[in-house]
């Protein structure tokens, strides 16, 4: 398909494109949004420059990708509950400084995220995305076949316990309460045993309210039909029905594989820039290289999808449609310096 209402310029041969020739505050035709959707499904993440978008226009863009949500973790703009406020003070190491797909601990993760950075550090603060479809397509056929028969457990409390998230949250709430002048005295008077009990109660509630879910290790994209890896280093806990040592070894290898530069794009934020990414077929990483400076933004998450494998047996020769309907060749292991197969997985596991 040739784009008639927007200009689409690829950022890399594998992932990402820049969208121009459009003012998001002045979109009148549904055809424009349809082309934006198509550009996103084809390129996994798309970037807009010089878009001083108003909240109503921002919300309208998000609504074209499904129901917008209020997130578990973030506050929102007053009067616009779907526009989440995300920020980092630039002091502590962020809790999600690892490659991940958002909220895969849900039965239906969100489909699309849109982000505009409102407060830029003087330098740094880029965001990176990796194509999990390209990562899958570059694997050897035996490993693909094995992964198509695996299920993986995704578990929010599992990761939160690894990073002491509950304790860190309580400490933040204590600081916020102290700034407001309320509750600080009560918190400061709690004994060590009382604090331990409070932490245990919060962790138990977290586990009770957020049971783990199981998804296929390889899923099919609901809009473009590509198969893709669906495990990530934050929320994926283990492969089902596999010895723990083998599961850990295979997951570590896949987490490293996704990080190959051939699968990535890196975006440098500027004032009034917007990034929109397909959460189904990407992982992302917010680079924390801007300490001690502040970074903040406004995010919308919208739509959802059921992770499932429908193109079982799809090989590396599947057609991939790129910008303007031009067919692109998937990245293959034979095009690169490494081809992974089952022998390498077993050898890696035996070294542990």
């Amino acid at each position: 398909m040739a784009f008639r209402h927007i200009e689409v310029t690829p950022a890399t041969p594998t992932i990402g494109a820049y969208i121009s020739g459009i003012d998001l505050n002045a979109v009148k035709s549904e055809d424009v949004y349809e082309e934006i959707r198509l550009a996103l499904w084809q390129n996994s993440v798309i970037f807009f420059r010089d878009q001083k978008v108003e909240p109503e226009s921002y919300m309208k863009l998000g609504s074209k990708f499904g129901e917008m949500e209020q997130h578990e973790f973030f506050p929102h703009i007053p009067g616009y509950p779907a526009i989440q406020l995300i920020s980092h003070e630039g002091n502590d190491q962020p809790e999600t400084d690892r490659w991940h797909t958002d909220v895969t601990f849900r039965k239906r993760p969100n489909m699309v995220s849109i982000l505009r950075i409102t407060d830029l550090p003087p330098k740094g603060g880029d965001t990176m995305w990796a194509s999990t479809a390209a990562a899958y397509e570059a694997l050897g056929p035996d490993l693909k076949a094995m992964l198509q028969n695996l299920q993986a457990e995704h578990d929010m409390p599992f990761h939160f316990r690894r990073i002491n998230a509950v304790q860190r949250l309580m400490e933040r709430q204590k600081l916020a309460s102290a700034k407001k002048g309320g509750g600080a005295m009560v918190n400061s008077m709690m004994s060590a045993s009382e604090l331990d009990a409070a932490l245990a109660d919060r962790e138990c509630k977290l586990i009770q309210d957020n049971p783990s879910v199981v998804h296929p290790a390889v899923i099919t994209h609901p809009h473009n039909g590509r198969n893709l890896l669906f495990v990530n280093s934050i929320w994926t806990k283990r492969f089902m029905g596999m010895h723990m040592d083998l599961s850990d070894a295979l997951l570590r290898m896949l987490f490293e594989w996704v990080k190959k530069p051939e699968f990535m794009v890196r975006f440098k934020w500027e004032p009034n820039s917007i990034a929109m990414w397909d959460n189904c077929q990407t992982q992302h990483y917010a680079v924390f290289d801007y300490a001690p400076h502040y970074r903040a933004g406004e995010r919308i998450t919208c739509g959802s999808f059921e992770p499932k494998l429908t193109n079982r047996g799809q090989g590396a020769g599947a057609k991939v449609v790129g910008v303007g309907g031009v067919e692109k060749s998937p990245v293959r292991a034979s095009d690169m310096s490494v081809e992974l197969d089952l022998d390498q997985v077993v050898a890696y596991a035996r070294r542990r």
Side-chain angles (χ1 to χ4, degrees):
M1 169 185 173
F3 293 97
R4 298 187 299 113
H5 302 283
I6 60 176
E7 296 177 17
V8 182
T9 304
T12 78
T14 305
I15 178 175
Y18 292 92
I19 308 299
S20 57
I22 180 177
D23 179 356
L24 291 174
N25 286 321
V27 177
K28 305 297 184 184
S29 170
E30 287 297 319
D31 292 341
V32 176
Y33 292 116
E34 179 58 33
E35 290 193 2
I36 292 174
R37 279 192 292 267
L38 180 61
L40 181 62
W41 306 146
Q42 289 180 356
N43 297 283
S44 304
V45 55
I46 54 178
F47 308 114
F48 302 81
R49 297 288 194 193
D50 301 318
Q51 297 285 339
K52 196 173 182 179
V53 66
E54 299 294 332
E56 291 80 6
S57 300
Y58 200 25
M59 294 272 288
K60 186 178 180 181
L61 175 64
S63 70
K64 302 303 177 180
F65 291 87
E67 182 179 358
M68 296 176 288
E69 65 174 20
Q70 290 183 252
H71 201 275
E72 292 100 325
F73 309 137
F74 303 112
H76 60 81
I77 291 179
Y80 299 95
I83 302 180
Q84 306 152 17
L85 297 173
I86 61 171
S87 63
H88 194 268
E89 297 292 341
N91 299 319
D92 302 346
Q93 193 77 11
E95 287 124 355
T96 55
D97 59 335
R98 302 172 72 170
W99 284 96
H100 66 286
T101 299
D102 286 334
V103 297
T104 59
F105 52 79
R106 297 178 183 171
K107 290 183 179 180
R108 293 183 63 91
N110 70 274
M111 187 74 207
V112 172
S113 290
I114 315 171
L115 177 63
R116 61 186 295 261
I117 297 298
T118 55
D119 294 85
L120 286 167
K123 295 180 181 178
D126 298 352
T127 305
M128 303 171 68
W129 285 267
S131 169
T132 52
Y136 174 77
E137 289 159 0
L139 294 172
D142 290 341
L143 186 51
K144 283 182 179 179
M146 181 182 76
L147 289 171
Q148 285 194 10
N149 290 302
L150 292 179
Q151 302 277 319
E153 181 181 11
H154 298 246
D155 190 343
M156 182 177 76
F158 165 71
H159 176 65
F160 274 22
R161 295 195 72 180
R162 289 190 295 180
I163 63 172
N164 294 321
V166 173
Q167 182 174 353
R168 294 166 75 172
L169 176 61
M170 291 181 68
E171 289 172 351
R172 288 178 185 171
Q173 291 174 337
K174 180 179 177 180
L175 288 173
S177 180
K179 288 180 180 179
K180 294 179 180 178
M185 183 63 69
V186 174
N187 285 334
S188 64
M189 293 175 61
M190 291 179 70
S191 67
S193 60
E194 288 172 331
L195 282 172
D196 288 343
L199 283 170
D201 287 343
R202 293 285 289 271
E203 286 196 357
C204 287
K205 181 169 176 52
L206 185 70
I207 294 171
Q208 180 180 355
D209 293 345
N210 299 276
S212 64
V213 301
V214 175
H215 297 308
V218 176
I219 66 171
T220 305
H221 192 278
H223 298 290
N224 64 26
R226 295 176 77 181
N227 281 356
L228 53 105
L229 284 175
F230 200 66
V231 295
N232 69 90
S233 64
I234 287 188
W235 306 122
T236 307
K237 182 178 181 179
R238 65 186 176 112
F239 286 118
M240 307 298 290
M242 181 180 290
H243 190 280
M244 181 177 64
D245 291 344
L246 289 171
S247 173
D248 289 346
L250 181 54
L251 282 174
R252 280 194 296 270
M253 186 198 70
L254 293 173
F255 297 159
E256 289 299 314
W257 180 247
V258 170
K259 296 178 186 178
K260 291 186 72 65
E262 290 88 342
F263 310 143
M264 292 184 190
V265 64
R266 182 167 180 151
F267 184 60
K268 182 176 178 59
W269 292 97
E270 297 175 357
N272 298 321
S273 293
I274 292 175
M276 176 187 296
W277 67 95
D278 179 339
N279 189 55
C280 177
Q281 61 178 333
T282 61
Q283 294 185 23
H284 60 278
Y285 187 110
V287 181
F288 181 58
D289 57 355
Y290 51 88
H293 301 287
Y294 181 69
R295 180 181 183 269
E298 298 171 353
R299 188 173 76 171
I300 291 176
T301 53
C302 40
S304 66
F305 66 97
E306 179 186 355
K308 57 184 178 180
L309 177 63
T310 57
N311 290 348
R312 186 172 292 277
Q314 183 191 68
K319 293 183 179 180
V320 179
V321 179
V323 173
V326 178
E327 185 179 326
K328 299 191 296 185
S329 297
V331 179
R332 297 185 179 91
S334 57
D335 298 330
M336 304 165 68
S337 59
V338 178
E339 179 168 355
L340 296 180
D341 56 29
L342 287 175
D343 291 339
Q344 287 177 287
V345 176
V346 173
Y348 182 88
R350 285 173 176 170
R351 292 198 300 269
R352 306 310 297 170

